[in-house]
């Protein structure tokens, strides 16, 4: 599972913060609906030489898989990318023309999406230059290409969607993704999966690492991703670097992880994949950690085959310590919450989440990236061995820093005092809110005897997220956090109160289309909290005021607002503990779903005027190994100066591990 920036930041709209004053320049490039950022890797210099060496080997193993994702996303993608790159670099005429600019923009989009379909919507995007111009330019530049790519690039009805989920459509035939060979239908694929299903106690994830194809007699067969099989030349290179990583692994557990992965890439045997996942969950002591391989299944329309990705990271000890402090005080929080004692847990255990620093992003984690990961995906392994949940702190920080001065706070926050407080404490409060929500919020409270955990039915996830958020919000304002050294003073929490209530009441509406209701569970829970609290602040604790035709949130009494938050927490816990479906339904319908049309239109207009890019992604730093005379690595240097175009041209040059047609 992946957590996106929208889900983990509890709706913080990537706002400003200023934890760190630095000259580091985060913004790298901007095109269409995309902004490209760079991220820092704090702590890399402090790693030991063996750890740096391990990171270096694992980053090389990560980059070797790049072509796999392009091919998984569509069988013409590698041909198209390489033709565009050749034309872009060999174009013989003046480059200050509109068409050449359009070529560059299209290529930037292809790189960003690892193919010709939008990374998020999965719709095909078309070049702005014409087919005639493209054909002539290729001839002039002596770039030879496969004619088959022309309709794929230029005809809007050919392969219009990478992954379709539309009703009444054959999901396999209707998707351009390359998880199924030509002509394979949804019914044929489903029948094959059904007949090969593993029903044992420790099932193999059949189909995770293969393409289903049809032979000349119409029979379905599997092409397995493995050395000597599909994507074999890329996996061979991945393994070359994994072997080196194996030689400098930090612990026996980590050695086992790497060894099983090497074996899986070699043989394609899913038993090795299970062994790799189990070893990975058990490896808790290593400072450096990584994911490498066929992992998430969102892009396969049937949700079975894994897209290739890699993330190399190391533990952020200081931030992880923060989650350990919270977790160690779980019982104190439980005892001091506003809920009725009969609904409290006698013995509550906190969970501590690992906070990590990303060192490289690759495959399906690049350039667009998750900010949190929870793996493995196989349920039986999660039940038997647990899972690892991580938050990627340096990426969150890059998002926050890059949003500084983008005008959002100036437009939507009511005055300088609020803005300054938010700049000072917003990021820290955001981290703490996530920690409290995850480490103690979800685990607090208990159900009354006989109440089913499914009692709240379709409102269960909205109510559960609301409960965890309220728990976090209530304790953010508690002096206990200052006492534990997690917040500097009793002012700081106000930054979170203002931002979250503003977001829930007003600014999150910019992500809803005009006329639509709120459907997504996280957005519902944020409006539910903000609107309920607003409605129950009967003594002027907060207000929405109008200035020069614009509406703003004003908070007059933070203590008063916190009391109402506490009341709501008590009621939501009662609803959960009693399984009171009727009350849950009434509350959600009254506060979480409907949108004030005038306010919505005002938010959309004000937001559009800021001209912010809705999607962001990253370039990676460059790692250079310095060798001594004997050929041993004596240091690894990190360099942040590479730009977006230069990085992709270099990757295409140095990590071209697959043929055009696979
Ligand atoms: Zn949650």
């Amino acid at each position: 599972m992946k957590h996106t920036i929208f889900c983990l930041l509890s709706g913080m709209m990537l706002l400003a913060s200023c934890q760190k004053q630095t000259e580091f320049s985060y913004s790298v490039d901007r095109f269409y609906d995309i902004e490209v950022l760079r991220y820092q890797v704090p702590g890399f210099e402090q790693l030991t030489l063996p750890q740096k060496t391990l990171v270096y080997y694992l980053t090389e193993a990560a980059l070797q898989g790049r072509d796999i994702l392009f091919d998984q996303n569509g069988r013409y993608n590698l041909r198209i990318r390489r033709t565009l790159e050749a034309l872009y670099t060999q174009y013989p005429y003046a480059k200050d023309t509109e068409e050449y600019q359009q070529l560059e923009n299209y290529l930037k989009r292809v790189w960003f999406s690892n193919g010709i379909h939008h990374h998020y919507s999965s719709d095909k995007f078309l070049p702005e230059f014409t087919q005639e111009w493209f054909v002539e330019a290729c001839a002039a530049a002596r770039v030879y290409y496969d004619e088959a790519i022309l309709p794929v690039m230029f005809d809007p009805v050919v392969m219009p969607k990478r992954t379709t989920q539309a009703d009444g459509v054959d999901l396999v035939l209707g998707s351009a993704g390359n998880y199924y060979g030509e002509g394979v239908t949804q019914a044929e694929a489903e029948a094959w999966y059904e007949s090969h299903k593993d029903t044992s106690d420790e099932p193999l994830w059949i189909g995770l690492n293969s393409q289903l194809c049809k032979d000349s007699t119409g029979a379905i067969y599997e092409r397995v991703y493995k050395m000597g099989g599909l994507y074999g030349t890329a996996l061979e290179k991945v393994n070359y670097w994994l072997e080196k990583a194996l030689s400098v692994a930090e612990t026996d557990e980590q050695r086992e992880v790497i060894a099983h992965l090497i074996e899986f890439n070699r043989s394609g045997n899913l038993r090795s994949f299970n062994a790799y996942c189990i070893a990975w969950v058990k490896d808790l002591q290593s400072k450096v950690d990584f994911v490498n391989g066929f992992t998430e299944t969102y892009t396969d329309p049937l949700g079975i085959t894994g897209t290739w990705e890699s993330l190399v990271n190391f533990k952020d000890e200081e931030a992880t310590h923060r989650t350990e402090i919270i977790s160690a005080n779980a019982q104190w929080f439980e005892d001091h919450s506003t809920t009725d004692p009969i609904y409290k847990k006698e013995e509550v255990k906190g969970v501590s989440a690992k906070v990590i620093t990303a060192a490289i992003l690759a495959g399906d984690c690049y350039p667009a990236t998750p900010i949190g990961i929870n793996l493995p995906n196989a349920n039986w392994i999660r039940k038997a061995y647990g899972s690892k949940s991580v938050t990627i702190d340096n990426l969150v920080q890059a998002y926050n820093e890059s949003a500084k001065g983008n005008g959002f706070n100036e437009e939507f926050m009511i005055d300088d005092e609020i803005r300054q407080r938010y700049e000072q404490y917003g990021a820290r409060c955001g981290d703490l809110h996530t920690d409290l929500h995850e480490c103690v919020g979800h685990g607090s409270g208990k159900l009354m005897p006989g109440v089913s955990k499914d009692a709240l039915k379709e409102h269960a996830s909205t109510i559960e997220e609301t409960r965890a958020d309220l728990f976090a919000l209530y304790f953010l304002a508690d002096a206990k956090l200052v006492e534990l050294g997690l917040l500097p003073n009793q002012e700081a929490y106000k930054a979170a109160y203002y931002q979250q209530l503003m977001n829930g009441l007003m600014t999150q509406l910019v992500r809803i289309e005009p006329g639509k209701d709120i459907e997504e569970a996280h957005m519902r829970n944020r409006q539910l909290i903000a609107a309920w609290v607003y409605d129950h602040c009967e003594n002027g604790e907060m207000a929405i005021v109008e200035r020069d035709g614009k509406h703003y949130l004003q908070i007059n009494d933070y203590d008063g607002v916190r009391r109402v938050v506490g009341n709501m927490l008590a009621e939501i816990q009662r609803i959960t503990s009693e399984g009171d479906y009727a009350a849950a339904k009434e509350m959600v319908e009254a506060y979480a779903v409907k949108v004030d049309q005038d306010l919505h239109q005002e938010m959309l207009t004000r937001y559009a005027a800021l001209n912010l890019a809705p999607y962001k992604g990253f370039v990676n730093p460059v790692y250079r190994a310095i060798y001594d005379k004997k050929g041993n690595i004596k240091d690894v240097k990190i360099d942040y100066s590479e730009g977006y175009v230069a990085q992709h041209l270099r990757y295409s040059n140095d990590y071209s591990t697959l043929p055009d047609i696979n």
Side-chain angles (χ1 to χ4, degrees), residues 437-438 442 464-465 468 522:
H437 175 116
E438 301 288 350
H442 279 306
E464 178 55 21
E465 291 308 313
H522 290 86

Side-chain angles (χ1 to χ4, degrees), residues 3 7-8 434 437-438 441-442 461 464-466 468-469 522 525:
H3 300 293
C7 140
L8 255 189
T434 305
H437 175 116
E438 301 288 350
H442 279 306
S461 67
E464 178 55 21
E465 291 308 313
T466 299
D469 263 358
H522 290 86
N525 106 255

Side-chain angles (χ1 to χ4, degrees), residues 31-34 104-118 125-126 644:
F31 45 93
Y32 292 93
D33 51 357
I34 285 157
E104 181 176 273
N105 283 339
Y106 180 63
L107 180 54
K108 282 179 177 178
R109 293 184 93 179
V110 169
W111 284 329
F112 195 88
S113 298
N114 294 284
I116 58 170
H117 299 88
H118 192 277
F125 48 83
L126 296 172
Y644 179 69

Side-chain angles (χ1 to χ4, degrees), residues 15-18 404-427 494-495 498-499 502 547 552 558 606:
L15 295 186
S17 73
C18 68
K404 261 165 116 173
N406 70 7
F408 190 93
N409 293 356
E410 287 68 17
E411 178 60 38
F412 293 107
M413 292 185 170
I414 193 166
D415 59 36
D416 280 345
E417 187 194 346
I418 301 284
R419 277 190 288 274
Q420 277 159 18
R421 188 189 289 131
Y422 190 74
E423 292 224 340
Q424 201 168 354
Y425 304 120
K494 295 177 183 173
Y498 189 88
Q499 189 276 333
M502 172 187 82
R547 287 187 188 168
Y552 298 90
Y558 282 88
R606 288 165 68 184

Side-chain angles (χ1 to χ4, degrees), residues 561-582:
V561 173
R562 187 197 182 208
R563 269 193 299 279
V564 179
V565 166
N567 294 344
M568 187 175 183
L569 174 59
E571 173 61 4
I572 288 282
Q573 184 61 55
R574 184 199 67 75
I575 289 173
T576 303
S577 294
E578 301 288 345
D580 189 343
Y581 173 75

Side-chain angles (χ1 to χ4, degrees), residues 191-393:
W192 191 93
Y193 287 135
E194 192 51 44
S195 67
H196 288 77
K197 208 174 192 167
D198 183 352
T199 52
S200 66
D201 288 346
E202 301 189 351
L204 305 178
W205 192 305
I206 304 288
L208 177 78
N209 62 333
S210 68
Q211 183 187 48
L212 285 192
C213 293
K214 204 193 292 202
D215 70 15
S216 55
T217 69
I220 299 297
Y221 67 101
E222 215 184 3
R223 292 178 73 204
V224 176
Y225 305 155
K226 61 173 185 175
M227 278 166 68
L230 188 52
Y231 305 143
T233 49
L235 294 171
E236 200 172 310
K237 292 271 171 59
V238 171
N239 267 6
Y240 171 85
W241 291 101
L242 289 177
E243 294 278 1
K244 287 181 174 290
L246 190 59
S247 70
V248 287
E250 291 180 87
T251 59
D252 288 341
E253 287 76 20
Q254 190 173 54
R255 247 183 295 282
E256 213 181 302
V257 174
I258 300 172
H260 286 305
L261 180 58
I262 289 171
E263 175 55 22
F264 176 58
N265 286 338
R266 200 189 57 73
S267 66
N269 186 336
L270 289 161
R271 229 166 276 288
S272 298
F273 181 75
N274 283 348
Y276 156 68
C277 291
I278 292 165
W280 183 79
V281 172
K282 287 183 179 167
D283 178 19
L284 298 170
Q285 297 310 316
S286 305
K287 169 106 174 170
V288 176
D289 202 357
F290 74 103
V291 175
N292 181 308
F294 303 98
T295 310
E296 305 288 356
T297 58
Y298 303 111
T299 316
D300 171 4
L302 302 184
I304 303 226
T305 307
T307 42
W308 197 90
E309 71 176 37
S310 186
L311 164 71
V312 181
N313 64 80
F314 53 89
K315 194 170 167 185
D316 179 338
E317 310 281 354
E318 199 188 312
T320 301
H321 183 57
R322 188 181 72 208
T323 71
E324 287 164 357
I325 293 178
I326 289 171
S327 183
N329 286 280
Q331 191 67 52
W332 188 94
F333 289 118
E334 181 74 349
D335 295 344
H336 290 79
S337 89
T338 54
T339 58
D340 190 310
I342 58 169
Y343 304 135
K344 288 185 198 289
K345 264 197 189 126
E346 293 77 22
E347 212 177 318
V348 50
K349 268 207 191 91
V351 246
S352 57
K354 188 163 93 159
V355 182
I356 60 169
T357 302
I360 207 132
L361 311 165
D364 209 24
C365 294
Y366 169 88
T369 182
I371 57 161
I373 292 184
N374 187 332
L375 289 173
N377 283 329
N379 274 325
W380 74 268
I381 299 180
R382 298 169 73 86
K383 275 210 190 98
Y385 299 94
S387 64
K388 279 200 274 194
S389 177
V390 300
T391 304
I392 312 172
D393 229 17

